[in-house]
Amino acid sequence: MKLWGGRFSGEPDQEFARFNASFAFDQRLIEADIQGSRAHAQALAAAGVLTSFELERLDEALLSILKRVAEEPDYLKNRDAEDVHSFVEAELATFIGDLAYKLHSGRSRNDQVATDLRLFLRNEIDDSLTLIKQVQCALVSLAENNRHCIIPGYTHLQRAQPVLFAHYLLAYYEMLKRDCGRLIDARRRTNRLPLGAGALAGTGFPIDRSIAAERLGFDGSCENSLDAVSDRDFVVEFIGAASLIMIHLSRLAEDFIIYSTAEFGFLELSDAVSTGSSLMPQKKNPDSLELIRGKAGRVLGHNAAMLALLKGLPLAYNKDMQEDKEALFDTVDTLKGSLGVVNTVLANVKVNSGRAREAASVGYLNATDLADYLVRRGLEFRKSHELVGRLVSYAIQQDKKLEDLSLDQYSSFTPLISGDVYDSLTLEASLASKAAEGGTSPERVNEALAKAKRDLGYRPTE
Ligand code: ARG
């Protein structure tokens, strides 16, 4: 029996029926739909709309649909249904006849689909949080295994100042920490029950909404029925948070792609996450990371699509909102897939500390340390900056590093430099001097690593 046939005398156009149908993709909500229906049935029974016998039979039938979903891979294939909600109702009817048609009392697909989506997303947020934590552990473990590795830090992609590779990795750890905070925050607002809002005005039966809310593990019910059925903020918030996660992964991907070129040579990606060329036998390409960078664009697209979808929708439910699902599903899949692949990249990457150290030693990355030295000798920083600039220019002409200039050469520029200057110009001294909170000194980085491990409950795998 169709969900809404009575008022119609004409049949829907076949092309429109296909256009209208969402079963091909919203069947993904079937577990959530059944979970929600079981809770609704319980609330209906408590309100006296179903007898306890009817409740029992409905519940059994719902469970047997769930069982078939789990056990029969082809159960949902090639089924002719408008959406997942009508599919479940039709299946119920084949099991228990007309009793199936009592289940929709006091409920609309509008509060039903909003409930399904929230149940679905809540699980996906939890899964995403677990995956992010795995990536954070992989970052920490890579940092631990390369504690002493020094790389050039960049601004404008020009060598700037030396930093510990561990410090660099912990920057991504911090980004992901904020991402977890955003997901946890979004989860809080996702975790409210729309069921009981009916189509838009509320339910016509004396339903205690807290029964379904509690049973489904929601923190409470949505407070306003119009808002409950038309709110998709939680989808927007999740896709927004996912967009930022993807941006962070994409930036890491970009760094690693650059660092693994022959020109940089700091990293070598594992064969497990690289591909070859069909033409050039020597090639080893970082496709895994390029795909992550590319897929970030795709999630940003879903973010824009969701905002555009909701803009200008009149209250309350509108069919436009059916379009939320593919955006959400694809975001979830892309995000989880990307986190998994980044994890594998990090777990298997080889670090060439020698190359990285060499790169950090060439290119006057210690010029700021020389300027700081002069400040400690009493010179104003701006003047010191100017003087060191001239010294760098002189050293370039001489084809020398700053630490290779003689004391005589320094003396011709300023009397403030003495023999101890060379101690300030080493990579180790440069790092050690950045000892203020948040800096790259080994001491600070060790503290940061220890804190990250505590927060993660991290245990080394090796
Ligand atoms: N498939 C629909 C959706 O995803 C379910 C809700 C339909 N409600 C309605 N009144 N047509 O939004």
Side-chain angles (χ1 to χ4, degrees), residues 261-274:
T261 57
E263 286 74 6
F264 281 72
F266 306 162
L267 301 176
E268 191 190 332
L269 297 185
S270 138
D271 286 359
V273 291
S274 308

Side-chain angles (χ1 to χ4, degrees), residues 193-267:
L193 175 75
L195 217 53
L200 74 163
T203 174
F205 296 93
I207 285 177
D208 176 357
R209 297 180 69 198
S210 71
I211 295 174
E214 260 167 51
R215 171 165 173 157
L216 296 171
F218 284 110
D219 295 327
S221 301
C222 301
E223 308 237 358
N224 176 291
S225 62
L226 290 163
D227 181 46
V229 291
S230 61
D231 172 24
R232 293 293 182 276
D233 292 1
F234 59 98
V235 176
V236 173
E237 285 189 48
F238 172 75
I239 300 184
S243 298
L244 267 173
I245 301 169
M246 289 303 298
I247 285 173
H248 295 151
L249 299 185
S250 177
R251 292 184 75 174
L252 179 77
E254 172 68 4
D255 277 349
F256 273 39
I257 290 168
I258 294 173
Y259 294 172
S260 60
T261 57
E263 286 74 6
F264 281 72
F266 306 162
L267 301 176

